[in-house]
Amino acid sequence: MRLEAITWERLTDALAERIVTTTAKDGSPWLRVAVDGAPAAAPGDLAGRLAEALRIRGRAVHKAGTFGFLRPASLRLEYGREDPDAYYDEWFDRPALWREVFQPLDPDGTGRVLPDLWDPLADRATRSAYVTLPPGGVLLLHGPLLLGHWFPFDLSVHLKLSPAALARRTPEGERWTLPAFARYEAETRPEEAADVVVRADDPRRPAWSGPA
């Protein structure tokens, strides 16, 4: 894949413009956008920039992170605290994301979504209040391992890190997750699955796959 250098500011503006000219694939009045990437790639940062750019353009935005939808510790840590296959398969409550985030944004949905479900530090439900995203609004879901689960994204952005950059930028205590991301690359091939690819090996100098 050929990538071209770009600044984060220009990238954010280009993505925001693409989002506001995109229509939902299933006719839904809401758009569902993925910002996919390992924690080391900081997908939440790009989602935050996009949220601000979209609000400036008059669009309502709901930004949600997958770490707010972790499964209880008794389930995700059943095979130990540092099992990469469990991280890949068991850590994130994907049925809850379907139920609480995506189904309300179906074409006949209510727009009433749950911001988060589980507090991993307290290991209990957050009891967050539902929020209503008005028609025309945009869901920005950010986090790792988002692609390959049939989530109904209308646009997906993958933040790509080389294996060396991923290892270098992942904190020592989280490097046990690296095999999970190697598995993601091999099984899901996010660089091919995503609509837009952003290489973020050097956080100061991103490059992207360009407009559609």
Side-chain angles (χ1 to χ4, degrees), residues 36-49:
D36 172 65
D45 290 353
L46 178 56
R49 294 187 188 101

Side-chain angles (χ1 to χ4, degrees), residues 65-83:
T66 54
F67 280 97
F69 288 85
L70 291 177
R71 301 177 78 204
S74 61
L75 298 176
R76 70 178 188 273
L77 305 180
E78 181 179 1
Y79 301 102
R81 293 185 175 274
E82 297 186 356
D83 186 301

Side-chain angles (χ1 to χ4, degrees), residues 94-112:
R94 296 180 180 104
L97 281 168
W98 274 105
R99 182 180 67 251
E100 304 292 356
V101 177
F102 287 106
Q103 287 182 359
L105 303 182
D106 282 345
D108 58 351
T110 63
R112 188 170 175 264

Side-chain angles (χ1 to χ4, degrees), residues 121-134:
L121 296 179
D123 196 34
R124 59 179 174 80
T126 58
R127 294 186 171 84
S128 294
Y130 284 88
V131 298
T132 299
L133 186 64

Side-chain angles (χ1 to χ4, degrees), residues 15-25 31 33 59 154-155:
L15 288 174
E17 287 299 321
R18 180 165 176 179
I19 290 169
V20 298
T21 58
T22 295
T23 56
K25 296 173 183 177
L31 285 178
V33 178
R59 301 297 289 269
D154 301 299
L155 182 70

